[in-house]
Amino acid sequence: RTYGEEKAKVLWTLCSLIDGIPMLYQGDEDPKLCHQEDLPQLGDFFRELFAVRRQYLSNDWSTRYIYTGTAVMAFVRELAGRRLLVMLNFSDEPVKISSEFLRNADLANFRKIVYGFAEITGVTITVPAWGRTMIGEE
């Protein structure tokens, strides 16, 4: 949190939605545990994030990383034909992922936001600054 709450949330979302087991350090969710009274309480953020992980993912899902050429890190989690697109913007500016890129990467059918925020216009996805989203196929 030293470098910003929203930046940290993007990183924690990455660690929680890629393959593997997410880990928290003591005090990440409740800074009072480390005698840091002036930092925000993030218990609700972690409860929501881990609930999304439990609802939509398991360790059986494969991960395919997508190079976007932007500040957005993207990857597809897949199991038995079911796919979820995760997009994380590591920038202080919104990033637009073009429809051409999405079509070429076989990502044009991702339309239903199941976690976080993004703007889907046609087949273009805009991820807000420090944004995080998980999108399912229609």
Side-chain angles (χ1 to χ4, degrees), residues 104-115:
N104 290 339
D106 188 28
L107 303 175
N109 292 329
F110 289 91
R111 313 288 302 150
K112 180 182 176 189
I113 296 174
V114 296
Y115 172 72

Side-chain angles (χ1 to χ4, degrees), residues 57 60-64 76-84:
L57 298 171
D60 299 341
W61 289 62
S62 65
T63 306
R64 177 173 57 106
V76 174
R77 300 294 311 266
E78 184 172 10
L79 179 67
R82 184 167 174 221
R83 301 187 314 162
L84 293 166

Side-chain angles (χ1 to χ4, degrees), residues 16-74:
S16 298
L17 299 182
I18 60 171
D19 47 333
I21 299 170
M23 302 292 285
L24 294 180
Y25 290 100
Q26 180 177 348
D28 282 345
E29 77 288 358
D30 184 356
K32 290 180 186 173
L33 296 173
C34 295
H35 310 292
Q36 299 291 322
E37 305 293 328
D38 58 332
L39 296 174
Q41 293 282 332
L42 297 177
D44 290 341
F45 165 76
F46 284 111
R47 276 188 286 283
E48 178 187 20
L49 180 59
F50 293 156
V52 165
R53 181 182 166 88
R54 272 190 308 277
Q55 180 178 355
Y56 292 102
L57 298 171
S58 71
N59 288 333
D60 299 341
W61 289 62
S62 65
T63 306
R64 177 173 57 106
Y65 295 93
I66 310 295
Y67 177 73
T68 67
T70 70
V72 170
M73 180 178 185

